[in-house]
Amino acid sequence: MARRNNLYLVANMADLQPCPLKTDPSSSCPSDGRWQFNTNVVFRSDGLLVARYHKHNLYFEQSFDTPPQPEIITFDTPFAGRFGLMICFDILFHKPTIALVEKGVRQLIFPTAWMNLLPLLDSVQFQQAFSLGANVTLLAANLRKDQYNMRGSGIYTPFSATYHHAQKGDPEEGRLLVARVPVLDPLWVGQSVTTEEGLVRSESTSSTATDSGVCHQESCSDSPPPETASLVPPSSATFISSIDHDPFTFVLLNETEGKVNVCNGTFCCHLQYRRLPQGDSKELYALGAFAGTHTMDGRYALQVCALVRCAGLDASSCGQEVEEAESKMDFLLEGKFGSRYVYPSVLASKMVLEQPEHLETAADGRVTMKHSNMTGGLVTACLYGRMYHLDNE
């Protein structure tokens, strides 16, 4: 296929590798003398196999083995420079994903079988959030399998998102996505960089300047920071409710507009909001904070600020899965994080992504996301911080 169509092609498949049977009990070689790996293979445009990556972070994959060492695999192309490889659950962990980013790899390829987990980890929601937070291009190809709630793929850059997320009841079939994106590989020098980047940025969905409001400290202007809700004392009526088995501390948004503050231990989230009236809609919203280690179906350390639409009108429904909402909101969401890897998302009704209007990361770890003029009702606005350095504690 690669040769016939003159393409670079990445495919996910199983790989069987013989391994040395040892009497050493610490050897990871299975008793039948072979490893089976969940694998990405890469063919270049003349059909030659140029890269192979074995998945490191398995997710209930009894058929597969974990490779003895994490693999950090890249390949080069003549049209866009270097790409890195990862698979599904890998995206949540330091190796290989952040190890690739820290090596300067800015273009990542991500085959996945992602089971959507609202309100924080829907497929397209986290795909876009990762692209924004890691400042990379992400090519994400998900399976379509309604039985396991697998749907949602896309092509994401820090300035744009081209994606498809099937709705319930849609025919269970594939969808081809095509997008023209800028080359982000810093080592790749070519004429197309400026022209292509201009193309994409001019088509950006963001309503702010060329940078889509993504402002990392070294490139920020000297304008004063937007007003924050940091000085608001913690709101009194807090309650605990779970998001994906993690006990978030929540506070309800009881007014049409205001400022609220909620803390989970010493980690605090601040919100300044204005809810736009939507007819007779009665919807409950809450601001939640969580700092700790997620331990259900995987172990990883988090700091999360999440503004969510609750499933019902009772506080106990906050944090449950919701796909639709009518209430639009202008807001400023902020937290002070202990990691520079914070993944921002704004998810609107029926799985529509919104490009945050303004994102700012300060030197002290404070991350601010400001957004207004929503196209649909707000399902979730989230700052999802990954504390990779605490994963093994």
Side-chain angles (χ1 to χ4, degrees):
M1 285 169 66
R3 187 170 59 231
R4 193 162 56 240
N5 297 286
N6 195 31
L7 296 170
Y8 272 68
L9 186 69
V10 180
N12 181 265
M13 59 177 286
D15 184 19
L16 188 154
Q17 291 280 331
C19 57
L21 273 172
K22 289 182 181 167
T23 48
D24 177 3
S26 67
S27 168
S28 65
C29 185
S31 57
D32 61 358
R34 67 188 201 186
W35 283 308
Q36 292 177 186
F37 297 122
N38 184 343
T39 305
N40 285 344
V41 290
V42 184
F43 296 94
R44 73 182 188 197
S45 51
D46 61 359
L48 188 74
L49 178 73
V50 290
R52 173 172 51 196
Y53 164 69
H54 297 132
K55 183 180 181 186
H56 187 68
N57 300 284
L58 299 182
Y59 187 83
F60 297 102
E61 298 170 63
Q62 285 80 10
S63 312
F64 291 125
D65 299 301
T66 301
Q69 297 296 325
E71 300 175 7
I72 311 302
I73 305 292
T74 62
F75 65 96
D76 289 288
T77 66
F79 53 85
R82 190 166 52 153
F83 289 82
L85 295 167
M86 56 184 183
I87 299 170
C88 204
F89 205 36
D90 283 334
I91 200 171
L92 287 175
F93 295 93
H94 189 273
K95 287 181 180 171
T97 308
I98 299 305
L100 284 163
V101 173
E102 289 176 346
K103 269 182 69 172
V105 179
R106 299 278 312 280
Q107 302 169 145
L108 299 171
I109 297 180
F110 177 60
T112 181
W114 192 273
M115 289 183 275
N116 291 327
L117 207 57
L118 286 163
L120 305 183
L121 291 176
D122 182 72
S123 57
V124 298
Q125 174 191 20
F126 194 72
Q127 289 161 15
Q128 183 193 42
F130 182 82
S131 169
L132 289 171
N135 200 25
V136 297
T137 290
L138 181 71
L139 310 182
N142 197 5
L143 291 186
R144 176 72 201 284
K145 204 164 182 68
D146 289 352
Q147 178 189 353
Y148 299 115
N149 198 18
M150 292 175 181
R151 50 204 169 116
S153 302
I155 300 168
Y156 308 88
T157 77
F159 344 98
S160 64
T162 302
Y163 64 97
H164 174 69
H165 195 301
Q167 304 294 326
K168 281 181 176 160
D170 286 357
E172 197 167 347
E173 58 192 19
R175 179 70 63 98
L176 175 68
L177 296 174
V178 179
R180 189 165 190 174
V181 299
V183 175
L184 295 189
D185 182 1
L187 303 176
W188 194 85
V189 181
Q191 197 54 48
S192 58
V193 174
T194 48
T195 54
E196 289 199 16
E197 194 146 342
L199 273 172
V200 168
R201 286 186 170 181
S202 66
E203 294 166 6
S204 169
T205 52
S206 168
S207 55
T208 45
T210 55
D211 198 49
S212 89
V214 180
C215 168
H216 295 285
Q217 194 63 23
E218 60 271 17
S219 63
C220 287
S221 66
D222 295 327
S223 58
E227 183 191 350
T228 69
S230 314
L231 305 174
V232 182
S235 308
S236 50
T238 60
F239 60 96
I240 304 294
S241 191
S242 287
I243 296 182
D244 189 23
H245 305 277
D246 295 328
F248 276 66
T249 304
F250 279 102
V251 61
L252 294 176
L253 275 55
N254 289 320
E255 310 297 329
T256 323
E257 59 182 280
K259 297 178 182 180
V260 290
N261 191 351
V262 67
C263 300
N264 184 254
T266 57
F267 175 70
C268 296
C269 303
H270 316 290
L271 175 72
Q272 188 175 326
Y273 69 97
R274 183 166 65 94
R275 195 165 158 178
L276 308 175
Q278 297 296 317
D280 301 329
S281 90
K282 282 190 165 57
E283 292 178 330
L284 187 65
Y285 282 82
L287 174 67
F290 174 73
T293 301
H294 175 88
T295 55
M296 184 76 179
D297 302 340
R299 183 181 176 85
Y300 41 93
L302 299 172
Q303 285 182 334
V304 182
C305 293
L307 166 58
V308 298
R309 192 212 139 185
C310 307
L313 295 177
D314 190 79
S316 63
S317 72
C318 299
Q320 294 176 11
E321 297 198 12
V322 178
E323 291 194 9
E324 297 184 24
E326 291 180 23
S327 306
K328 297 177 181 177
M329 212 164 312
D330 295 347
F331 63 85
L332 184 152
L333 178 63
E334 184 183 87
K336 189 174 178 182
F337 293 83
S339 164
R340 62 191 174 106
Y341 292 105
V342 179
Y343 306 114
S345 63
V346 181
L347 185 65
S349 190
K350 297 188 175 178
M351 312 302 176
V352 172
L353 298 176
E354 302 224 351
Q355 192 92 354
E357 209 169 67
H358 182 89
L359 284 170
E360 190 166 331
T361 302
D364 65 354
R366 192 175 303 279
V367 178
T368 306
M369 176 167 68
K370 193 175 180 181
H371 193 62
S372 60
N373 301 315
M374 292 194 65
T375 58
L378 179 68
V379 171
T380 312
C382 178
L383 295 171
Y384 193 92
R386 267 297 276 115
M387 311 285 284
Y388 300 109
H389 58 290
L390 299 181
D391 282 359
N392 297 320
E393 292 198 356

